[in-house]
Amino acid sequence: MSSFNIWTNKKLQNPTAFLIKMKKTLITVLLFSILPLAAQNKKAIYKDKNAPIETRIENLISLMTLEEKIMQMNQWTYGKNANPNNIGEKMKEVSPTIGSLLYRSTNPEYRNQVQKKAMTESRLGIPIIFGFDAIHGYRTVFPIPLAQACSWNTDLVKESCSITAKESWLSGLDWTFSPMLDVARDARWGRVSEGYGEDTYANSAFAVAAVKGYQGKSLSDKYTIAACLKHYIGYSLSEGGRDYHYSDISNQTLWETFMPPFEAGIKAGAATVMSGFNDISGVPASANYYTLTEVLKKKWKHDGFVVSDWGSVIQLVDQGVAKDIKEATLKSFMAGVEMDMVDNAYVDFLPELVADGKVPMASIDEAVRRILRVKMKLGLFENPYVDVVPEEKRYLLPEYLKVAEELAAESMVLLKNEKQTLPITSKYKSLAIIGPMVKDSVHIMGFWEGMGRPQDVETIYEGLQKEFKKKVVLNYALGCDFDGDDKSGFADALTEANKSDAVVIFLGEKANWSGENGSRSTIALPKIQEDLVAELQKSGKPIILMLSSGRPLELIRLNEMADAIVEIWQPGTTAGSAVAGILSGRRNPSGKLSITFPQTTGQIPIYYNMRESSRPKSGHYQDIPRDALYWFGHGLSYTTYDYSPIKLSATKIRKNEKLVAEVEVTNSGNATGKETVLWFIKDPFATISRPMKELKSFEKKLIKAGEKIVYRFEIDPMKDLSYVDSFGERHLETGNFFVIVNDQKVQFELID
Ligand code: BGC
């Protein structure tokens, strides 16, 4: 860790200027160091847990030196090494006055030791907040968020987040850098895997579920951790899907597409926000006063703090808006980033900036106030230490694995099922199980696997063996690797296919093909995997494709070759049971796509709620069909659902009235299933053009075979029929609207 390096700032080349600056800095540092000391006679009200939080915070701030304040704004990390032999040495490096640690150990005792340093060796005993990326699980790994959204099951997602919170808390964490709310429409961008897909409303709904799951009823309760909404904002629009690149975002798109999930997360109580890497139309997200202060703090009244993304302060120099790190510090801090993740820029340059009069003390105090508020709400001052329980009581408890399996299974999407190829019923006596994913225990967890371990994963192979034991003969062959051009396994695979009744091929992506810095120029699987399928087609047996990926795939060729396709995503620890359950029919697929699968990579961007073109019938690519291969919302089941016509409670409503839309869904097949109804609204004319349709509500319900269930959508005009302009102002215009469910479209009118 670097300490104040005001003395070594290379930019201060002129010796006289250097001396003047040094004097000024010294005076400022002394001034703000001595005054609080004098105030030390004051009672330390901040230690009184019965005093109001704001009173405690003000009291503490009045006692802090400038250095102590700036240290609160610093997040430090010491790397991955938490080997007990090294802990002593490493611990010496952690300053007791540090604000936050990016904590990469799973050891609660180590955390408690570090925390003890802060509580006992720092002058004021301010606790450290320990953060980490528990994105889709900690030790129990849940499916990637993109998959979770396909479950449309906000309750399960919330539960998975509270399990993550519990495992994390018991490992020494107070804070996770999740959920990611970047509405993502370019599948080349690897980070599509980390968010909830292409739709704004879906991202908002899952934002609320995740925040409530992590933060529980009260942040001060045991087993709850602070959420962090990221990456604020517009990161997913980086040009061409290249990670970290420029994002050109109109204010209309900013407000209409990107802001709502963050606003929903803030309203749900998210304690913190992370500012993104991206340059938003010339003003980077980590130096953007408008988004960080005008919107987040003033308009939405967020009272927690903003942490920069890893390096996003110093990267302002690379992005060309700051001539050096000092200026980057100034821009980022004054824009509204309170904590500096690992850059040490704030520690290095804020003292000088205060001395120069460029950063007012009031702004420093406000930043510290926000950080302390989160620490107070977490109850860290009273309960700085976490419980230490043995690992077997901490991780992978049976009830956690049950939720993981359910969520994994519910997130899988049956894309195609010709002639009811699936499920694997008694019509199949033997199955060939082929492909690089069958025995994998690494890539199946996806990127950001937290502290997940391959040895905890139930592989697909193990899951299938358990599921089909004594019922179906399983003939395994690898076939080929994920990539490369070694076809030496093809012959064995074809032999196994020839002696089986059907061929199940498990293809997919490696974990680091998506996630951060995981952009790809094509979203097709490597040619070797497609060639394997073509080879196995020679067997003449039904071909079932099981695809594991962190993004939508280009399936234009594979789709033709397969009789059935299931997108299993990256399902995590319980992959084996979840996949086997879907194949056997023990679990009826209920996932629906949270992101569109284009025909080809060149069709990107394509998403369900695009604006209509000026010539809707023309202008499409001439070499591929005009539609996507599988649209947002697509997903089949082993049963059939019949929808009644949509019933509206009225055909005309006033702006202050509500309209109820209902649809009765009958499970007309033989299997019990869960069906999600997605309710869309279309506004055909408005002062600002509207998307073709917009998701406004969804609901998932269990329907037994033969049963009927009514789904209901209460339309609130201000919420569901209004639109936002480029300043973030809402408008509600009268006129005709449509409610849309599947291919039904019913009109109603909004009057004054
Ligand atoms: C990522 C963030 C993550 C942070 C801390 C960054 O590189 O962009 O999503 O939370 O690292 O690990």
Side-chain angles (χ1 to χ4, degrees):
M1 187 198 72
S2 86
S3 57
F4 289 168
N5 74 353
I6 46 179
W7 317 118
T8 57
N9 181 3
K10 294 190 185 65
K11 296 286 165 191
L12 295 173
Q13 304 292 2
N14 171 344
T16 329
F18 173 74
L19 279 176
I20 295 170
K21 252 181 209 309
M22 196 172 75
K23 213 166 124 197
K24 255 167 94 182
T25 307
L26 249 181
I27 293 169
T28 315
V29 171
L30 280 176
L31 201 68
F32 289 110
S33 303
I34 290 166
L35 279 182
L37 288 178
Q40 249 191 344
N41 293 338
K42 274 194 194 168
K43 210 171 149 228
I45 304 167
Y46 72 97
K47 290 190 175 158
D48 176 2
K49 68 172 195 270
N50 298 318
I53 282 190
E54 295 304 318
T55 313
R56 296 172 71 188
I57 294 171
E58 292 316 312
N59 170 256
L60 179 50
I61 290 177
S62 74
L63 299 172
M64 291 169 82
T65 65
L66 176 63
E67 181 178 346
E68 282 164 340
K69 289 175 185 173
I70 292 172
M71 284 300 279
Q72 283 301 308
M73 298 180 217
N74 186 272
Q75 182 178 65
W76 193 64
T77 188
Y78 51 83
K80 272 196 166 174
N81 194 339
N83 181 316
N85 297 327
N86 300 338
I87 282 174
E89 281 311 301
K90 285 284 162 195
M91 202 154 63
K92 277 190 210 144
E93 291 174 31
V94 183
S95 158
T97 57
I98 201 86
S100 174
L101 258 190
L102 212 159
Y103 188 65
R104 293 166 187 267
S105 160
T106 56
N107 185 345
E109 286 173 287
Y110 181 33
R111 170 236 163 78
N112 288 347
Q113 286 172 42
V114 176
Q115 186 73 297
K116 193 163 174 211
K117 268 183 81 172
M119 300 310 290
T120 58
E121 292 175 30
S122 71
R123 192 174 66 88
L124 295 164
I126 304 176
I128 296 169
I129 178 169
F130 293 74
F132 179 66
D133 292 281
I135 308 292
H136 51 108
Y138 186 75
R139 183 70 184 272
T140 302
V141 182
F142 297 94
I144 52 168
L146 183 64
Q148 294 184 19
C150 297
S151 77
W152 298 98
N153 192 332
T154 46
D155 291 342
L156 266 185
V157 169
K158 183 175 158 204
E159 236 180 303
S160 76
C161 292
S162 65
I163 292 169
T164 301
K166 194 162 181 189
E167 286 192 343
S168 303
W169 190 88
L170 286 168
S171 307
L173 296 173
D174 311 298
W175 183 23
T176 178
F177 307 127
S178 172
M180 183 185 105
L181 305 177
D182 300 307
V183 174
R185 293 165 173 181
D186 189 334
R188 292 170 296 183
W189 190 56
R191 304 198 83 167
V192 289
S193 63
E194 295 174 48
Y196 301 109
E198 74 187 33
D199 180 63
T200 298
Y201 178 78
N203 271 276
S204 309
F206 288 107
V208 173
V211 169
K212 293 198 165 155
Y214 291 131
Q215 299 196 167
K217 286 207 179 71
S218 162
L219 269 180
S220 63
D221 289 346
K222 271 188 184 184
Y223 315 136
T224 62
I225 55 178
C228 182
L229 313 181
K230 70 185 191 185
H231 305 85
Y232 191 65
I233 189 168
Y235 180 25
S236 52
L237 219 56
S238 66
E239 277 181 337
R242 297 176 192 91
D243 209 358
Y244 314 123
H245 278 244
Y246 179 72
S247 16
D248 197 6
I249 312 176
S250 70
N251 274 351
Q252 186 61 33
T253 302
L254 186 70
W255 277 104
E256 194 172 289
T257 307
F258 292 105
M259 289 291 195
F262 284 93
E263 187 175 6
I266 297 297
K267 281 198 182 133
T272 71
V273 172
M274 186 185 292
S275 62
F277 292 132
N278 54 304
D279 179 344
I280 312 173
S281 303
V283 185
S286 289
N288 200 307
Y289 183 81
Y290 175 66
T291 56
L292 292 165
T293 296
E294 291 288 337
V295 178
L296 180 67
K297 299 179 211 294
K298 294 194 182 161
K299 192 173 166 108
W300 295 343
K301 310 217 173 329
H302 184 238
D303 67 358
F305 68 87
V306 176
V307 61
S308 57
D309 199 351
W310 187 291
S312 70
V313 175
I314 60 176
Q315 286 162 14
L316 295 176
V317 177
D318 295 307
Q319 286 170 319
V321 294
K323 66 175 186 299
D324 53 26
I325 298 178
K326 180 176 173 187
E327 200 180 354
T329 303
L330 177 65
K331 288 208 161 177
S332 175
F333 179 79
M334 292 309 285
V337 175
E338 284 91 15
M339 187 180 279
D340 162 19
M341 183 186 282
V342 308
D343 283 350
N344 283 314
Y346 282 15
V347 165
D348 289 346
F349 294 104
L350 276 177
E352 262 186 54
L353 288 163
V354 172
D356 291 351
K358 291 200 169 135
V359 167
M361 264 315 282
S363 306
I364 297 275
D365 285 351
E366 175 57 10
V368 177
R369 186 173 290 126
R370 288 170 171 276
I371 293 167
L372 294 177
R373 188 175 290 129
V374 172
K375 292 186 176 185
M376 289 271 178
K377 283 190 183 173
L378 280 163
L380 288 175
F381 283 82
E382 294 72 66
N383 299 304
Y385 308 112
V386 296
D387 296 352
V388 178
V389 301
E391 285 212 5
E392 60 279 12
K393 295 206 173 144
R394 226 192 285 163
Y395 303 134
L396 303 161
L397 303 189
E399 60 268 33
Y400 299 175
L401 296 176
K402 193 165 164 270
V403 173
E405 186 190 331
E406 252 172 69
L407 185 53
E410 288 205 18
S411 67
M412 294 179 184
V413 185
L414 179 62
L415 294 174
K416 177 176 180 181
N417 197 16
E418 297 279 287
K419 295 191 218 119
Q420 296 183 322
T421 307
L422 283 175
I424 304 293
T425 55
S426 52
K427 66 187 170 197
Y428 303 105
K429 301 284 176 253
S430 59
L431 287 180
I433 49 169
I434 316 281
M437 219 67 222
V438 177
K439 291 193 174 176
D440 166 81
S441 57
V442 174
H443 305 297
I444 200 92
M445 288 193 284
F447 201 84
W448 296 115
E449 77 283 18
M451 290 295 172
R453 297 183 185 171
Q455 59 268 35
D456 299 335
V457 170
E458 185 189 32
T459 64
I460 290 172
Y461 188 70
E462 289 158 350
L464 294 180
Q465 286 198 317
K466 204 171 70 187
E467 189 87 23
F468 294 109
K469 198 165 51 186
K470 294 197 190 134
K471 285 183 263 174
V472 182
V473 176
L474 300 175
N475 300 314
Y476 166 74
L478 174 68
C480 66
D481 202 348
F482 288 93
D483 50 4
D485 50 16
D486 181 1
K487 294 189 177 175
S488 60
F490 277 28
D492 276 358
L494 187 56
T495 307
E496 300 307 321
N498 282 333
K499 64 184 197 216
S500 308
D501 294 335
V503 189
V504 195
I505 315 173
F506 295 87
L507 304 178
E509 294 192 311
K510 288 186 171 178
N512 64 0
W513 291 3
S514 57
E516 187 174 351
N517 202 14
S519 300
R520 289 178 83 78
S521 70
T522 169
I523 59 165
L525 287 175
K527 188 166 177 303
I528 184 103
Q529 297 197 40
E530 293 195 354
D531 287 351
L532 175 67
V533 181
E535 182 71 11
L536 295 174
Q537 257 197 316
K538 292 181 187 159
S539 69
K541 306 291 168 66
I543 300 282
I544 298 160
L545 282 189
M546 306 294 283
L547 304 170
S548 170
S549 57
R551 57 158 60 76
L553 297 170
E554 173 179 310
L555 296 179
I556 193 162
R557 291 165 298 280
L558 288 173
N559 197 56
E560 292 300 304
M561 296 189 240
D563 298 284
I565 306 180
V566 186
E567 173 60 65
I568 66 167
W569 305 109
Q570 290 161 327
T573 312
T574 57
S577 298
V579 166
I582 291 287
L583 274 177
S584 71
R586 174 170 54 81
R587 290 184 176 276
N588 190 353
S590 63
K592 292 189 176 187
L593 292 178
S594 59
I595 189 164
T596 296
F597 276 49
Q599 301 275 352
T600 63
T601 307
Q603 208 183 19
I604 295 171
I606 184 165
Y607 47 97
Y608 86 91
N609 54 353
M610 292 185 288
R611 295 293 209 282
E612 192 54 274
S613 100
S614 57
R615 292 189 182 181
K617 291 203 169 65
S618 46
H620 303 286
Y621 296 118
Q622 305 217 348
D623 53 335
I624 49 170
R626 65 174 272 184
D627 270 329
L629 184 61
Y630 294 116
W631 283 112
F632 171 88
H634 172 75
L636 307 172
S637 158
Y638 294 153
T639 190
T640 44
Y641 299 107
D642 297 335
Y643 281 59
S644 73
I646 299 172
K647 230 172 62 191
L648 294 184
S649 60
T651 49
K652 249 184 209 171
I653 50 160
R654 297 187 183 282
K655 286 181 171 174
N656 59 355
E657 289 172 346
K658 301 244 165 87
L659 177 72
V660 176
E662 283 182 352
V663 71
E664 188 179 64
V665 182
T666 307
N667 181 340
S668 51
N670 297 322
T672 291
K674 284 188 179 175
E675 173 66 345
T676 302
V677 172
L678 301 172
W679 294 96
F680 298 91
I681 292 285
K682 178 180 171 73
D683 180 355
F685 309 103
T687 306
I688 292 174
S689 70
R690 310 303 310 132
M692 290 191 214
K693 59 180 184 177
E694 291 173 276
L695 183 70
K696 293 292 178 178
S697 175
F698 62 86
E699 201 179 0
K700 187 172 197 175
K701 291 184 177 182
L702 181 91
I703 319 183
K704 293 197 185 126
E707 207 179 48
K708 296 176 196 304
I709 290 216
V710 174
Y711 290 70
R712 201 167 180 271
F713 168 31
E714 190 182 78
I715 299 166
D716 172 346
M718 199 53 201
K719 185 161 101 3
D720 301 311
L721 307 178
S722 66
Y723 63 83
V724 78
D725 65 18
S726 57
F727 301 99
E729 298 304 323
R730 291 229 144 250
H731 302 271
L732 183 59
E733 293 179 358
T734 55
N736 287 335
F737 290 84
F738 294 96
V739 184
I740 301 177
V741 168
N742 295 341
D743 46 11
Q744 291 191 55
K745 196 167 153 191
V746 182
Q747 188 177 316
F748 65 93
E749 194 186 350
L750 181 72
I751 53 176
D752 264 327

